[in-house]
Amino acid sequence: MGSDSEQRLLTVAAAQLGPIESLTTPRADVLARMINLLQDASEKEVRLVVFPELTFTTFFPSYIINSPEEVAKFFEPASPNDAYAIINSPNAKPVIDKATELGIDISFGYAERWTTEPGKFVDYNTAVYYSATQRQCVAKYRKIHLPGRYEPDQRPGVTQQLEKRYFTPGDLGFQAFRVSGLIDGALKSEDAKMLASPERTHGKGDPILGMLICNDRRWAEGWRCYGLQGVELVLEGYNTTAFAPQYDGTEVEQEAEALFHHRLSCQAGSYQNACYSIHAAKAGKEDHGSLIAGSSIVDPNGHIVAESKTKGDELVYATIDLAKCRRGKERVFAFDKHRRVEHYSRILDQVGVEEPSLLDRSQA
Ligand code: CDV
Protein backbone atom coordinates (compact mmCIF):
# COMPACT_ATOMS: atom_id res chain seq x y z
CA MET A 1 0.00 0.00 0.00
CA GLY A 2 1.61 3.26 -1.08
CA SER A 3 0.83 6.72 0.21
CA ASP A 4 0.90 8.07 -3.32
CA SER A 5 -2.73 7.35 -4.14
CA GLU A 6 -3.85 10.68 -5.64
CA GLN A 7 -1.95 11.33 -8.82
CA ARG A 8 -0.44 14.75 -9.49
CA LEU A 9 0.43 14.44 -13.17
CA LEU A 10 2.53 16.92 -15.10
CA THR A 11 4.17 16.67 -18.53
CA VAL A 12 7.62 18.25 -18.49
CA ALA A 13 10.63 18.47 -20.80
CA ALA A 14 14.31 19.20 -21.03
CA ALA A 15 15.00 21.19 -24.19
CA GLN A 16 18.48 20.09 -25.16
CA LEU A 17 20.29 22.48 -27.49
CA GLY A 18 22.91 21.22 -29.86
CA PRO A 19 26.06 23.28 -30.30
CA ILE A 20 25.99 27.07 -30.52
CA GLU A 21 29.14 27.10 -32.58
CA SER A 22 30.97 30.32 -31.81
CA LEU A 23 31.13 33.64 -29.96
CA THR A 24 29.54 35.30 -32.98
CA THR A 25 26.64 32.90 -33.61
CA PRO A 26 23.62 35.22 -34.08
CA ARG A 27 21.15 35.25 -31.19
CA ALA A 28 18.30 35.15 -33.70
CA ASP A 29 19.43 31.69 -34.80
CA VAL A 30 19.39 30.43 -31.22
CA LEU A 31 16.00 31.98 -30.50
CA ALA A 32 14.55 30.31 -33.61
CA ARG A 33 15.84 26.94 -32.43
CA MET A 34 14.35 27.48 -28.96
CA ILE A 35 11.01 28.41 -30.50
CA ASN A 36 11.06 25.20 -32.58
CA LEU A 37 11.59 23.21 -29.40
CA LEU A 38 8.70 25.03 -27.71
CA GLN A 39 6.46 24.25 -30.68
CA ASP A 40 7.44 20.61 -30.41
CA ALA A 41 6.71 20.74 -26.66
CA SER A 42 3.28 22.18 -27.31
CA GLU A 43 2.43 19.34 -29.70
CA LYS A 44 3.36 16.91 -26.91
CA GLU A 45 1.24 18.79 -24.36
CA VAL A 46 4.25 19.68 -22.27
CA ARG A 47 3.55 22.25 -19.52
CA LEU A 48 7.10 23.06 -18.41
CA VAL A 49 10.29 23.24 -20.49
CA VAL A 50 13.82 23.58 -19.07
CA PHE A 51 16.55 25.10 -21.26
CA PRO A 52 20.33 24.86 -20.62
CA GLU A 53 22.75 27.00 -18.62
CA LEU A 54 23.69 30.19 -20.56
CA THR A 55 21.06 29.18 -23.09
CA PHE A 56 21.44 31.96 -25.63
CA THR A 57 25.17 31.85 -26.39
CA THR A 58 28.08 29.55 -26.86
CA PHE A 59 29.76 28.63 -23.56
CA PHE A 60 31.81 31.84 -23.50
CA PRO A 61 33.64 31.06 -20.17
CA SER A 62 35.78 28.69 -22.25
CA TYR A 63 37.31 31.71 -23.99
CA ILE A 64 39.83 34.27 -22.76
CA ILE A 65 38.04 37.55 -23.46
CA ASN A 66 40.06 40.51 -22.27
CA SER A 67 38.01 43.44 -23.54
CA PRO A 68 35.29 44.53 -21.06
CA GLU A 69 33.18 45.71 -24.02
CA GLU A 70 33.38 42.25 -25.57
CA VAL A 71 32.51 40.56 -22.25
CA ALA A 72 29.53 42.90 -21.80
CA LYS A 73 27.98 41.57 -25.03
CA PHE A 74 27.25 38.26 -23.31
CA PHE A 75 25.41 39.79 -20.34
CA GLU A 76 21.80 40.91 -19.90
CA PRO A 77 21.24 43.96 -17.71
CA ALA A 78 19.11 43.79 -14.54
CA SER A 79 18.74 46.01 -11.49
CA PRO A 80 16.72 46.34 -8.27
CA ASN A 81 14.23 48.36 -10.32
CA ASP A 82 13.79 45.58 -12.84
CA ALA A 83 15.14 42.29 -11.52
CA TYR A 84 13.52 40.38 -14.37
CA ALA A 85 14.50 42.75 -17.19
CA ILE A 86 15.51 39.67 -19.17
CA ILE A 87 11.93 38.99 -20.22
CA ASN A 88 11.75 42.26 -22.16
CA SER A 89 15.23 41.94 -23.65
CA PRO A 90 15.18 41.58 -27.44
CA ASN A 91 17.68 38.76 -26.83
CA ALA A 92 15.02 36.65 -25.08
CA LYS A 93 11.60 38.19 -25.73
CA PRO A 94 10.65 36.13 -28.81
CA VAL A 95 10.97 32.97 -26.69
CA ILE A 96 9.04 34.49 -23.78
CA ASP A 97 6.28 35.54 -26.19
CA LYS A 98 6.11 32.07 -27.70
CA ALA A 99 5.96 30.43 -24.27
CA THR A 100 3.13 32.79 -23.29
CA GLU A 101 1.24 32.09 -26.51
CA LEU A 102 1.57 28.31 -26.03
CA GLY A 103 0.89 28.43 -22.28
CA ILE A 104 4.18 26.68 -21.44
CA ASP A 105 6.26 27.63 -18.40
CA ILE A 106 9.98 27.87 -19.09
CA SER A 107 13.20 28.00 -17.14
CA PHE A 108 16.39 29.16 -18.86
CA GLY A 109 19.90 30.30 -18.03
CA TYR A 110 21.64 33.52 -19.00
CA ALA A 111 24.50 35.79 -17.98
CA GLU A 112 23.10 38.51 -15.71
CA ARG A 113 24.69 41.91 -15.13
CA TRP A 114 23.18 43.22 -11.89
CA THR A 115 23.58 47.00 -11.54
CA THR A 116 22.85 48.56 -8.16
CA GLU A 117 24.03 52.09 -9.03
CA PRO A 118 25.50 53.64 -12.18
CA GLY A 119 28.89 52.14 -12.96
CA LYS A 120 28.65 49.43 -10.26
CA PHE A 121 27.68 45.96 -11.31
CA VAL A 122 28.01 42.31 -10.33
CA ASP A 123 27.89 39.52 -12.91
CA TYR A 124 26.09 36.26 -12.20
CA ASN A 125 25.42 32.98 -13.97
CA THR A 126 21.64 33.00 -13.55
CA ALA A 127 18.47 31.02 -14.26
CA VAL A 128 14.89 32.26 -14.06
CA TYR A 129 11.50 30.59 -14.01
CA TYR A 130 8.87 32.20 -16.24
CA SER A 131 5.23 31.33 -15.60
CA ALA A 132 3.15 31.57 -18.78
CA THR A 133 -0.13 31.79 -16.88
CA GLN A 134 1.12 34.58 -14.64
CA ARG A 135 3.02 36.24 -17.51
CA GLN A 136 5.95 36.95 -15.24
CA CYS A 137 9.07 35.43 -13.76
CA VAL A 138 8.34 33.91 -10.39
CA ALA A 139 11.85 32.85 -9.34
CA LYS A 140 15.50 33.53 -9.94
CA TYR A 141 18.54 31.43 -9.01
CA ARG A 142 22.19 32.48 -9.27
CA LYS A 143 24.79 29.72 -9.64
CA ILE A 144 26.55 29.12 -6.34
CA HIS A 145 29.23 26.52 -7.14
CA LEU A 146 31.30 28.21 -9.83
CA PRO A 147 33.89 25.81 -11.25
CA GLY A 148 37.14 26.58 -13.02
CA ARG A 149 39.59 29.38 -12.42
CA TYR A 150 40.12 33.14 -12.60
CA GLU A 151 43.50 33.15 -14.36
CA PRO A 152 43.62 31.27 -17.67
CA ASP A 153 45.63 28.07 -17.87
CA GLN A 154 48.69 29.19 -19.88
CA ARG A 155 49.53 25.76 -21.31
CA PRO A 156 48.99 25.69 -25.09
CA GLY A 157 45.97 23.85 -26.44
CA VAL A 158 44.12 23.42 -23.14
CA THR A 159 40.34 23.80 -22.77
CA GLN A 160 39.74 26.80 -20.52
CA GLN A 161 37.09 26.96 -17.78
CA LEU A 162 36.99 30.58 -16.58
CA GLU A 163 33.70 30.91 -14.73
CA LYS A 164 35.47 32.35 -11.67
CA ARG A 165 36.73 35.14 -13.95
CA TYR A 166 33.39 36.10 -15.45
CA PHE A 167 30.96 35.50 -12.58
CA THR A 168 30.50 36.11 -8.85
CA PRO A 169 29.06 33.23 -6.77
CA GLY A 170 25.28 33.50 -6.46
CA ASP A 171 23.82 35.36 -3.49
CA LEU A 172 20.24 34.07 -3.48
CA GLY A 173 20.78 30.72 -1.78
CA PHE A 174 18.71 27.66 -2.61
CA GLN A 175 15.21 29.08 -2.33
CA ALA A 176 12.42 26.68 -3.27
CA PHE A 177 9.24 28.14 -4.74
CA ARG A 178 5.75 27.04 -5.65
CA VAL A 179 4.28 27.48 -9.12
CA SER A 180 0.56 27.82 -9.74
CA GLY A 181 -1.25 26.62 -12.83
CA LEU A 182 0.68 23.36 -13.28
CA ILE A 183 -1.39 20.92 -11.19
CA ASP A 184 -5.18 20.91 -11.16
CA GLY A 185 -6.86 20.94 -7.75
CA ALA A 186 -3.76 22.00 -5.79
CA LEU A 187 -4.48 22.80 -2.15
CA LYS A 188 -4.32 26.54 -1.40
CA SER A 189 -3.54 28.28 1.89
CA GLU A 190 -7.23 29.11 2.41
CA ASP A 191 -8.12 25.40 2.22
CA ALA A 192 -5.34 24.47 4.67
CA LYS A 193 -6.89 26.60 7.41
CA MET A 194 -9.62 23.96 7.63
CA LEU A 195 -7.10 21.18 8.39
CA ALA A 196 -6.16 20.21 11.93
CA SER A 197 -2.52 19.38 11.25
CA PRO A 198 -0.28 21.39 8.88
CA GLU A 199 1.62 18.25 7.77
CA ARG A 200 -1.56 17.09 6.11
CA THR A 201 -0.94 19.71 3.43
CA HIS A 202 2.42 18.17 2.49
CA GLY A 203 2.46 17.02 -1.11
CA LYS A 204 -0.95 18.53 -1.86
CA GLY A 205 -0.25 22.16 -2.76
CA ASP A 206 1.09 23.68 -5.95
CA PRO A 207 4.34 21.95 -6.97
CA ILE A 208 7.51 22.89 -5.08
CA LEU A 209 10.42 23.62 -7.40
CA GLY A 210 14.09 24.51 -7.08
CA MET A 211 16.79 25.45 -9.59
CA LEU A 212 20.44 24.45 -9.89
CA ILE A 213 22.95 25.37 -12.57
CA CYS A 214 25.42 22.85 -13.96
CA ASN A 215 28.22 22.29 -11.43
CA ASP A 216 25.71 22.76 -8.57
CA ARG A 217 24.23 19.35 -9.37
CA ARG A 218 27.40 17.67 -8.13
CA TRP A 219 27.04 19.17 -4.63
CA ALA A 220 24.82 17.33 -2.16
CA GLU A 221 24.52 20.50 -0.06
CA GLY A 222 22.35 22.35 -2.58
CA TRP A 223 20.07 19.38 -3.19
CA ARG A 224 19.57 18.91 0.55
CA CYS A 225 18.72 22.61 1.05
CA TYR A 226 15.93 22.06 -1.47
CA GLY A 227 15.02 18.69 0.04
CA LEU A 228 14.50 20.39 3.39
CA GLN A 229 11.89 22.62 1.73
CA GLY A 230 10.01 19.60 0.39
CA VAL A 231 11.15 20.09 -3.20
CA GLU A 232 9.32 17.94 -5.75
CA LEU A 233 11.06 19.01 -8.95
CA VAL A 234 14.61 20.33 -9.43
CA LEU A 235 15.41 22.10 -12.72
CA GLU A 236 18.98 22.22 -13.99
CA GLY A 237 20.70 23.36 -17.17
CA TYR A 238 24.34 22.59 -17.97
CA ASN A 239 27.34 22.94 -20.28
CA THR A 240 29.66 20.08 -19.35
CA THR A 241 32.96 19.56 -21.11
CA ALA A 242 33.18 16.20 -22.85
CA PHE A 243 36.90 16.34 -23.53
CA ALA A 244 39.79 18.52 -22.34
CA PRO A 245 43.20 17.62 -23.77
CA GLN A 246 45.00 18.51 -20.53
CA TYR A 247 43.33 15.62 -18.67
CA ASP A 248 43.97 11.87 -18.90
CA GLY A 249 42.07 9.65 -21.28
CA THR A 250 41.00 9.56 -24.89
CA GLU A 251 38.03 11.59 -26.12
CA VAL A 252 35.81 8.51 -25.88
CA GLU A 253 36.96 7.66 -22.35
CA GLN A 254 36.63 11.21 -21.02
CA GLU A 255 33.17 11.68 -22.46
CA ALA A 256 31.97 8.36 -21.02
CA GLU A 257 33.33 9.32 -17.60
CA ALA A 258 31.75 12.80 -17.76
CA LEU A 259 28.39 11.28 -18.63
CA PHE A 260 28.75 8.74 -15.81
CA HIS A 261 29.41 11.47 -13.22
CA HIS A 262 26.57 13.58 -14.62
CA ARG A 263 24.08 10.72 -14.30
CA LEU A 264 25.43 9.71 -10.89
CA SER A 265 24.94 13.24 -9.51
CA CYS A 266 21.44 13.71 -10.92
CA GLN A 267 20.22 10.26 -9.91
CA ALA A 268 21.68 10.48 -6.38
CA GLY A 269 20.34 14.02 -5.83
CA SER A 270 16.84 13.02 -6.88
CA TYR A 271 16.82 9.80 -4.87
CA GLN A 272 18.25 11.26 -1.66
CA ASN A 273 15.75 14.10 -1.69
CA ALA A 274 12.81 12.10 -3.06
CA CYS A 275 12.16 14.47 -5.95
CA TYR A 276 12.02 14.50 -9.72
CA SER A 277 14.66 16.45 -11.62
CA ILE A 278 15.01 17.74 -15.17
CA HIS A 279 18.46 18.22 -16.72
CA ALA A 280 18.98 20.14 -19.97
CA ALA A 281 22.31 20.11 -21.82
CA LYS A 282 23.93 22.34 -24.32
CA ALA A 283 25.63 19.55 -26.27
CA GLY A 284 27.98 18.76 -29.11
CA LYS A 285 31.01 20.44 -30.65
CA GLU A 286 31.31 24.20 -30.17
CA ASP A 287 34.40 26.09 -31.36
CA HIS A 288 36.08 25.89 -27.95
CA GLY A 289 35.57 22.13 -27.54
CA SER A 290 32.89 19.52 -27.05
CA LEU A 291 30.08 19.23 -24.53
CA ILE A 292 28.26 16.12 -23.28
CA ALA A 293 24.59 15.49 -24.02
CA GLY A 294 22.65 13.27 -21.58
CA SER A 295 19.66 15.59 -21.03
CA SER A 296 17.28 13.70 -18.80
CA ILE A 297 14.31 13.44 -16.49
CA VAL A 298 14.99 11.55 -13.25
CA ASP A 299 12.36 10.16 -10.86
CA PRO A 300 12.35 10.21 -7.03
CA ASN A 301 13.76 6.67 -6.93
CA GLY A 302 16.77 7.84 -8.94
CA HIS A 303 15.72 6.19 -12.19
CA ILE A 304 16.17 8.00 -15.49
CA VAL A 305 12.72 8.05 -17.09
CA ALA A 306 13.75 9.83 -20.31
CA GLU A 307 17.14 10.70 -21.81
CA SER A 308 18.37 12.38 -24.99
CA LYS A 309 19.45 10.18 -27.87
CA THR A 310 21.39 12.80 -29.85
CA LYS A 311 23.83 15.66 -29.36
CA GLY A 312 21.57 18.09 -31.23
CA ASP A 313 18.42 20.06 -30.51
CA GLU A 314 16.09 17.52 -28.90
CA LEU A 315 13.06 17.59 -26.65
CA VAL A 316 13.29 15.03 -23.85
CA TYR A 317 9.86 14.73 -22.28
CA ALA A 318 7.82 12.62 -19.88
CA THR A 319 4.62 12.70 -17.89
CA ILE A 320 5.60 12.55 -14.25
CA ASP A 321 3.49 11.99 -11.14
CA LEU A 322 4.58 14.25 -8.31
CA ALA A 323 2.62 12.08 -5.86
CA LYS A 324 5.42 9.53 -6.31
CA CYS A 325 7.69 11.83 -4.25
CA ARG A 326 5.71 10.98 -1.13
CA ARG A 327 7.08 7.46 -0.59
CA GLY A 328 10.70 8.61 -0.19
CA LYS A 329 9.71 11.71 1.76
CA GLU A 330 7.63 9.69 4.22
CA ARG A 331 9.88 6.65 4.62
CA VAL A 332 13.64 6.40 3.98
CA PHE A 333 14.08 10.17 3.67
CA ALA A 334 11.53 11.30 6.26
CA PHE A 335 13.94 14.00 7.43
CA ASP A 336 12.01 14.89 10.58
CA LYS A 337 12.33 11.29 11.82
CA HIS A 338 15.84 10.36 10.79
CA ARG A 339 18.17 13.37 10.43
CA ARG A 340 20.78 13.80 13.19
CA VAL A 341 21.74 17.46 12.95
CA GLU A 342 23.79 17.31 16.16
CA HIS A 343 26.45 15.54 14.05
CA TYR A 344 26.42 17.78 11.00
CA SER A 345 28.11 20.98 12.31
CA ARG A 346 31.28 20.22 10.32
CA ILE A 347 29.31 20.73 7.12
CA LEU A 348 28.68 24.37 8.05
CA ASP A 349 31.81 25.18 10.03
CA GLN A 350 34.42 23.82 7.64
CA VAL A 351 35.07 24.46 3.94
CA GLY A 352 38.19 22.46 3.00
CA VAL A 353 39.36 19.06 4.16
CA GLU A 354 40.90 18.59 7.63
CA GLU A 355 42.38 15.10 7.78
CA PRO A 356 42.87 13.26 11.08
CA SER A 357 46.44 13.64 12.47
CA LEU A 358 49.14 11.44 11.02
CA LEU A 359 49.77 8.23 12.97
CA ASP A 360 53.05 7.58 14.85
CA ARG A 361 55.32 4.77 13.63
CA SER A 362 54.57 2.96 16.92
CA GLN A 363 50.95 2.69 15.78
CA ALA A 364 51.91 0.82 12.61
N1 CDV B 1 29.53 24.80 -16.58
C1 CDV B 1 29.92 24.00 -15.56
O1 CDV B 1 29.57 24.23 -14.42
N2 CDV B 1 30.72 22.96 -15.88
C2 CDV B 1 31.22 22.04 -14.88
C3 CDV B 1 32.54 21.44 -15.27
C4 CDV B 1 33.61 22.46 -15.41
C5 CDV B 1 33.00 20.42 -14.23
C6 CDV B 1 30.24 20.92 -14.63
O2 CDV B 1 30.00 20.61 -13.47
O3 CDV B 1 29.76 20.30 -15.57
Side-chain angles (χ1 to χ4, degrees), residues 5-301:
S5 47
E6 277 199 28
Q7 290 188 322
R8 302 173 75 220
L9 299 177
L10 180 61
T11 303
V12 297
Q16 175 172 288
L17 283 174
I20 297 175
E21 281 82 9
S22 76
L23 291 173
T24 55
T25 302
R27 291 276 185 115
D29 294 1
V30 181
L31 295 177
R33 289 164 58 186
M34 293 173 72
I35 287 169
N36 277 343
L37 285 160
L38 279 179
Q39 195 61 52
D40 189 8
S42 173
E43 282 152 27
K44 293 174 168 117
E45 299 188 5
V46 169
R47 305 289 304 281
L48 161 59
V49 171
V50 179
F51 287 101
E53 173 189 37
L54 300 172
T55 306
F56 304 100
T57 63
T58 194
F59 190 66
F60 69 87
S62 290
Y63 294 84
I64 307 168
I65 311 171
N66 288 317
S67 147
E69 293 74 28
E70 286 303 308
V71 172
K73 288 182 186 166
F74 293 93
F75 284 83
E76 293 295 330
S79 72
N81 298 330
D82 194 357
Y84 292 120
I86 180 73
I87 64 170
N88 293 313
S89 159
N91 288 328
K93 195 162 182 322
V95 170
I96 298 287
D97 289 347
K98 191 67 182 177
T100 309
E101 176 199 320
L102 299 174
I104 299 175
D105 286 13
I106 57 173
S107 158
F108 59 88
Y110 65 102
E112 178 192 23
R113 176 152 290 183
W114 180 250
T115 302
T116 47
E117 52 188 279
K120 280 202 174 159
F121 60 82
V122 189
D123 289 341
Y124 296 107
N125 186 341
T126 296
V128 288
Y129 187 100
Y130 175 78
S131 160
T133 43
Q134 295 184 55
R135 295 182 174 229
Q136 61 180 354
C137 285
V138 296
K140 178 184 277 188
Y141 171 75
R142 291 172 172 153
K143 185 173 184 177
I144 287 179
H145 299 102
L146 295 178
R149 46 202 287 166
Y150 185 91
E151 292 300 340
D153 188 329
Q154 298 299 344
R155 292 173 294 172
V158 299
T159 299
Q160 304 286 348
Q161 221 297 354
L162 298 173
E163 284 193 57
K164 285 191 164 64
R165 183 182 191 86
Y166 297 120
F167 303 114
T168 295
D171 61 345
L172 301 176
F174 301 101
Q175 187 56 55
F177 55 98
R178 288 194 195 264
V179 176
S180 62
L182 291 179
I183 296 277
D184 294 334
L187 199 72
K188 301 288 179 181
S189 63
E190 296 85 346
D191 313 324
K193 291 194 184 108
M194 327 281 269
L195 297 171
S197 140
E199 288 86 68
R200 299 195 36 206
T201 68
H202 286 193
K204 296 192 169 62
D206 289 294
I208 304 173
L209 276 64
M211 292 185 276
L212 296 173
I213 301 179
C214 197
N215 191 252
D216 288 316
R217 73 193 183 289
R218 304 183 195 275
W219 297 84
E221 292 87 340
W223 285 94
R224 184 48 50 91
C225 287
Y226 283 133
L228 285 166
Q229 298 167 80
V231 76
E232 297 172 296
L233 184 53
V234 168
L235 319 180
E236 185 254 340
Y238 58 98
N239 289 257
T240 294
T241 308
F243 174 68
Q246 66 266 38
Y247 300 128
D248 290 340
T250 63
E251 285 195 38
V252 171
E253 287 164 350
Q254 281 196 25
E255 182 165 359
E257 190 75 343
L259 261 173
F260 170 70
H261 288 145
H262 158 69
R263 292 191 183 113
L264 188 65
S265 306
C266 301
Q267 293 180 254
S270 266
Y271 169 61
Q272 292 174 344
N273 296 282
C275 61
Y276 284 92
S277 57
I278 306 174
H279 306 275
K282 181 127 38 74
K285 280 203 173 14
E286 302 192 339
D287 275 359
H288 56 81
S290 57
L291 301 167
I292 65 165
S295 300
S296 62
I297 298 168
V298 180
D299 79 11
N301 288 314

